[in-house]
Amino acid sequence: MAESVELPGRLAILPFRNKVLLPVVGMRITYVIVKRCAASVKLVEQELWQREEKGLIGILPVRDAAVEAPSAGPMSSPGLGTNLGEEAQKTKRKHQIPTNTVVRINRRGVAARALHLSRGVEKPSGRVTYIVVLEGLCRFSVQELSTRGTYYTARITPLDMTKVEMDQVEQDPDFIALSRQFKATAMELISVLEQKQKTGGRTKVLLETVPVHKLADIFVASFEISFEEQLSMLDSVDVKVRLSKATELVDRHLQSIRVAEKITQKVEGQLSKSQKEFLLRQQMRAIKEELGDNDDEEDDVAALERKMQDAGMPANIWKHAQRELRRLKKMQPQQPGYNSSRVYLELLADLPWQKASEERELDLKAAKERLDIDHYGLVKVKQRIIEYLAVRKLKPDARGPVLCFVGPPGVGKTSLASSIAAALGRKFIRISLGGVKDEADIRGHRRTYIGSMPGRLVDGLKRVGVCNPVMLLDEIDKTGSDVRGDPASALLEVLDPEQNKTFNDQYPVTIYFHYLNVPFDLSKVIFVATANRVQPIPPPLLDRMEVIELPGYTPEEKLRIAMQHLIPRVLDQHGLSFDFLQVPEAMVKLVIQRYTREAGVRNLERNLAALARAAAVRVAEQDHAVPLSKDVQRLASPLLDGRLADEAEVEMEVIPIGVNNHDISNAFRVTSPFIVDEAMLEKVLGPPRYDDKETAERVSTPGVSVGLVWTAFGGEVQFVEATAMVGKGDLHLTGQLGDVIKESAQIALTWVRARATELKLATAEQSNLLEGRDVHIHFPAGAVPKDGPSAGVTLVTSLVSLFSQKRVRADTAMTGEMTLRGLVLPVGGIKDKVLAAHRYGIKRVILPERNLKDLVEVPAAVLSNLEILLAKRMEDVLEQAFEGGCPWRQHSKL
């Protein structure tokens, strides 16, 4: 270690924020270059990396005013040639920086040289990393600060003493006394550390070989002291003052080590006692295990008994639980029934017998606003929920009906149940019944079985932890039955308000013995059910519920739902925002028209998610910058203003003068957001799946008609195709049809044959339409099962078109059941069917006259775009189905 270092007149300056580098001390610094070079990084590249002979650089501490005493104001740094405090106020006003971000630059620093310099690239980010190990050499004072390119240089004056001056100071009696005191304290510290860590030999060598004024810097730099104390050591040019401060710090560190040793000795003594007790307890446990007596199990049973006492069981159930507990205490843990009895008692202790959610006062206005925010449209459904909540407000203990939301997937059935729970301030639990075929899933298994379970309802109450939750019985229409029982039958007692007050998890013990085996009050639970179809639900179970139908959404409603709910949710799920991806309304309309024809919005959300994923790939692959966070402030110094480009961001331990030491935002910067257009739709989603020309193309030949059907997924358009061929007068039906629709086809053919002459389909002499030919009727989409009576009028229209060789109007669809006498009977699902016709771009819909009342439920916006035609007889249907009416129609003789 050299006694003195010859310094140049000017040094490049590297600023340290709230850190101090002392002479003869190494420090490791890491730079991370994001895109362009900041000032300090440029300094490292030009002064250290690009030079073969590494030069010296100056390290200046930089501190915020926030870390100083409150009385300290902006400092006018001596020798810098400018009043930083006054100019800082101007810069602060220019950049709108709060007062607590004023920066002060220390006028004294340390000259340093690089001991090690390396450069690497991080994967997979591709960021360049510099690692610089610096050694402090000597102190200097800044006389003038100026710029060199993008970083700063300073004219300096050395502050360390020369060898002659140091020889004179070493003869000073005060210095000799301070040196002895410092070495004695340092030696005492080294001895303590040597006993504690078994080291210290190298430090003792330093005491004998290194000058004492340099030892002061070495010792102080190894302590964790405040920034102000570090600055005080740096500013201590007088070696006697430096030794005095160092002695004080070393002594303080020594005293803190001694106090820590006393505390450690006390703790170790307590630990030794605890370890001894633990060892003895382990030995006692081993002895008792040999004797078959285990206190731990007794402690666990006692804890279980206390838990059962706190559960708040009713008196009759507590009596039953005590009897079971006494039985458990008499058993040994190794006995076969011990674990099952204990699990049963733990279930009784965990069930919420008395614990209930504290319901807040119902605010119907707030509940209505919550429903409007969570769900768009569904006016009648939300009105029924508000009515339900109003009754609960007037009579909290009222046994209201069990609401059953019926509708196709993706229309918001489950979220409506969650909204009811939120409005009531109750906890929400969902019980999935899809595919349940075992009655034990409702009532529980018999406890005699290994691995018996309490049933989904009891387990749900245990998980939710309250006796008055809102319980959703999801997919109630998808329960089955087999030799293990019928879950729907078990649900009858659960959902019947006259019976579920004492819902028993058992039949009479002589016949069945189910898990819980005690009555449980379910009257406080609000049950809500969901289903896709009503038909599979057994009539007795359906009778205990109030069915609320949720039909599909119109395209306009889907558009509003996508803009208000789906797009923000999809962007959030994919880590994007509207700054990265924008989906105009026109493009959402195209997605609805060309890529989704469903009652709900799930496929629409999937398509929007596909667009978001494509945008995420483009954002992640593009050349991006990591910008400064919005709360990052600039330094309040005129010399630093404008020296860094707006995008010169750096994240490092050593902070350049132009950037605050804040976390760097990880957000990507893009020049402009991606706006979805038709080209991007086809590229991401593929060619359009649907178009408005499909119906016209399908009915371009005679024998094809358009019908409307209802499915579990909402209304759908069903094409019916008929053709004739040489044969023996047989009727062939294909398309995976059920018995009802096959009968409808036979009825349609019979009606057409009976009126062939009246409809001018055949002459009086040749009235047999099937003479010498067969008729084949096909329902496309053969993989989808089809059944129901509503295709009767569609079949007749298809046959009349075939025999007359007249084409059916492409803009017309129909539905209705017909009788053998030609009457058109009403059918169900009118709202879903009309919505399906609207989705497919059909303009005219033929309905049974007796279904006129069902049009009240159809949105006015849909009806305004459709022409609804009512038919009482089959002749009315044919009059409207063909272009120009039915010219061959004659008056019926009926």
Side-chain angles (χ1 to χ4, degrees), residues 719-843:
F719 295 93
V720 177
E721 301 174 350
T723 187
M725 55 197 166
V726 176
K728 301 178 181 180
D730 296 333
L731 174 63
H732 304 278
L733 299 172
T734 55
Q736 199 173 165
L737 308 179
D739 292 337
V740 176
I741 203 168
K742 288 179 180 179
E743 293 176 355
S744 296
Q746 190 64 54
I747 292 171
L749 181 59
T750 301
W751 187 87
V752 172
R753 291 178 65 186
R755 284 159 179 74
T757 304
E758 297 176 14
L759 298 175
K760 296 184 179 180
L761 302 178
T763 61
E765 295 79 12
Q766 298 178 348
S767 60
N768 187 3
L769 292 175
L770 298 183
E771 185 177 356
R773 59 181 174 179
D774 292 346
V775 174
H776 185 173
I777 300 177
H778 176 63
F779 287 73
V784 180
K786 308 170 188 69
D787 202 2
S790 61
V793 297
T794 313
L795 286 164
V796 172
T797 305
S798 176
L799 291 172
V800 172
S801 173
L802 171 67
F803 294 133
S804 65
Q805 290 299 299
K806 301 281 187 180
R807 289 184 297 179
V808 180
R809 293 185 58 162
D811 61 348
T812 303
M814 61 200 73
T815 185
E817 181 182 1
M818 67 162 291
T819 67
L820 200 57
R821 310 289 290 177
L823 294 176
V824 179
L825 300 182
V827 293
I830 293 298
K831 182 177 181 180
D832 292 309
K833 293 176 180 179
V834 173
L835 291 177
H838 184 254
R839 285 199 304 270
Y840 275 76
I842 291 173
K843 303 300 182 184

Side-chain angles (χ1 to χ4, degrees), residues 92 132 174 202-203 282 312 435 437 440 476 478 504 522 562 665 766 790:
K92 177 180 65 178
V132 187
D174 293 339
R202 186 180 302 176
T203 311
Q282 289 294 102
K437 295 184 179 180
I476 199 171
K478 295 179 177 58
N504 233 337
L522 292 178
S665 171
Q766 298 178 348
S790 61

Side-chain angles (χ1 to χ4, degrees), residues 155-342:
R155 184 166 58 84
I156 64 169
T157 301
L159 294 177
D160 284 1
M161 295 182 180
T162 63
K163 190 174 185 308
V164 175
E165 292 173 341
M166 196 62 214
D167 291 340
Q168 294 177 356
V169 171
E170 289 176 351
Q171 304 301 322
D172 189 342
D174 293 339
F175 177 80
I176 295 173
L178 286 171
S179 299
R180 290 175 180 173
Q181 183 181 1
F182 173 78
K183 286 189 175 182
T185 308
M187 183 59 71
E188 189 175 357
L189 175 63
I190 293 172
S191 299
V192 172
L193 293 176
E194 187 175 10
Q195 294 175 1
K196 186 177 181 181
Q197 303 175 358
K198 306 302 180 183
T199 59
R202 186 180 302 176
T203 311
K204 288 182 178 179
V205 174
L206 290 177
L207 284 176
E208 298 172 358
T209 58
V210 178
V212 68
H213 64 282
K214 291 187 178 292
L215 279 175
D217 288 333
I218 294 175
F219 271 79
V220 171
S222 63
F223 300 153
E224 292 185 2
I225 58 178
S226 66
F227 178 64
E228 290 299 323
E229 289 174 328
Q230 294 178 28
L231 281 180
S232 177
M233 280 298 296
L234 179 63
D235 292 338
S236 300
V237 179
D238 189 335
V239 292
K240 291 188 290 185
V241 176
R242 192 187 311 166
L243 276 178
S244 177
K245 292 181 179 179
T247 303
E248 179 183 351
L249 292 173
V250 171
D251 184 66
R252 188 177 70 186
H253 190 66
L254 177 62
Q255 297 303 324
S256 66
I257 291 178
R258 287 175 173 171
V259 171
E261 281 184 346
K262 290 182 180 179
I263 296 174
T264 302
Q265 289 175 358
K266 290 182 180 180
V267 173
E268 286 179 350
Q270 294 175 356
L271 286 176
S272 299
K273 183 179 179 182
S274 300
Q275 290 172 353
K276 181 179 179 181
E277 292 177 355
F278 175 76
L279 180 61
L280 292 175
R281 290 184 184 277
Q282 289 294 102
Q283 293 175 349
M284 290 176 60
R285 182 176 181 179
I287 294 172
K288 289 188 176 184
E289 283 182 354
E290 291 294 329
L291 297 175
D293 186 11
N294 197 328
D295 284 343
D296 289 345
E297 292 294 336
E298 291 180 1
D299 293 342
D300 292 344
V301 172
L304 177 59
E305 184 175 7
R306 290 193 299 270
K307 187 177 180 181
M308 293 170 59
Q309 292 171 351
D310 297 337
M313 301 179 191
N316 59 329
I317 299 174
W318 172 242
K319 184 178 179 180
H320 170 80
Q322 281 184 317
R323 184 169 60 250
E324 190 72 23
L325 182 63
R326 287 194 297 269
R327 177 172 170 267
L328 179 70
K329 289 180 178 179
K330 296 176 182 179
M331 299 171 65
Q332 294 296 329
Q334 295 80 13
Q335 288 184 246
Y338 181 86
N339 285 332
S340 61
S341 295
R342 179 168 176 171

Side-chain angles (χ1 to χ4, degrees), residues 568-850:
R569 183 167 66 194
V570 166
L571 292 179
D572 180 66
Q573 290 173 350
H574 293 79
L576 300 173
S577 67
F578 288 103
D579 296 332
F580 299 104
L581 177 65
Q582 293 182 5
V583 187
E585 283 193 14
M587 295 300 104
V588 178
K589 287 182 180 179
L590 289 180
V591 173
I592 295 171
Q593 294 171 1
R594 299 180 179 179
Y595 296 93
T596 62
R597 280 186 178 172
E598 57 171 345
V601 292
R602 284 185 181 165
N603 282 332
L604 175 59
E605 185 174 5
R606 291 189 187 102
N607 286 319
L608 293 174
L611 295 174
R613 290 193 297 271
V617 171
R618 295 176 64 180
V619 171
E621 286 182 347
Q622 76 166 8
D623 187 14
H624 58 269
V626 177
L628 289 172
S629 300
K630 293 181 179 179
D631 58 345
V632 172
Q633 307 295 337
R634 299 291 178 183
L635 298 182
S637 172
L639 293 176
L640 311 179
D641 182 25
R643 294 304 182 186
L644 286 177
D646 290 338
E647 296 178 356
E649 290 82 24
V650 178
E651 178 188 55
M652 53 183 150
E653 295 176 11
V654 178
I655 302 301
I657 294 179
V659 180
N660 264 343
N661 187 16
H662 290 273
D663 292 334
I664 303 300
S665 171
N666 290 325
F668 292 99
R669 172 174 295 172
V670 292
T671 56
S672 61
F674 297 118
I675 301 177
V676 177
D677 53 14
E678 289 192 48
M680 185 175 179
L681 283 183
E682 293 199 9
K683 182 178 179 181
V684 176
L685 304 181
R689 301 172 191 170
Y690 312 101
D691 58 64
D692 296 337
K693 300 178 181 179
E694 179 184 3
T695 305
E697 293 173 354
R698 298 283 288 270
V699 300
S700 60
T701 58
V704 181
S705 59
V706 184
L708 297 174
V709 297
W710 184 92
T711 69
F713 302 97
E716 288 292 338
V717 168
Q718 176 66 60
F719 295 93
V720 177
E721 301 174 350
T723 187
M725 55 197 166
V726 176
K728 301 178 181 180
D730 296 333
L731 174 63
H732 304 278
L733 299 172
T734 55
Q736 199 173 165
L737 308 179
D739 292 337
V740 176
I741 203 168
K742 288 179 180 179
E743 293 176 355
S744 296
Q746 190 64 54
I747 292 171
L749 181 59
T750 301
W751 187 87
V752 172
R753 291 178 65 186
R755 284 159 179 74
T757 304
E758 297 176 14
L759 298 175
K760 296 184 179 180
L761 302 178
T763 61
E765 295 79 12
Q766 298 178 348
S767 60
N768 187 3
L769 292 175
L770 298 183
E771 185 177 356
R773 59 181 174 179
D774 292 346
V775 174
H776 185 173
I777 300 177
H778 176 63
F779 287 73
V784 180
K786 308 170 188 69
D787 202 2
S790 61
V793 297
T794 313
L795 286 164
V796 172
T797 305
S798 176
L799 291 172
V800 172
S801 173
L802 171 67
F803 294 133
S804 65
Q805 290 299 299
K806 301 281 187 180
R807 289 184 297 179
V808 180
R809 293 185 58 162
D811 61 348
T812 303
M814 61 200 73
T815 185
E817 181 182 1
M818 67 162 291
T819 67
L820 200 57
R821 310 289 290 177
L823 294 176
V824 179
L825 300 182
V827 293
I830 293 298
K831 182 177 181 180
D832 292 309
K833 293 176 180 179
V834 173
L835 291 177
H838 184 254
R839 285 199 304 270
Y840 275 76
I842 291 173
K843 303 300 182 184
R844 304 167 78 244
V845 177
I846 301 175
L847 300 176
E849 187 179 58
R850 291 167 61 182

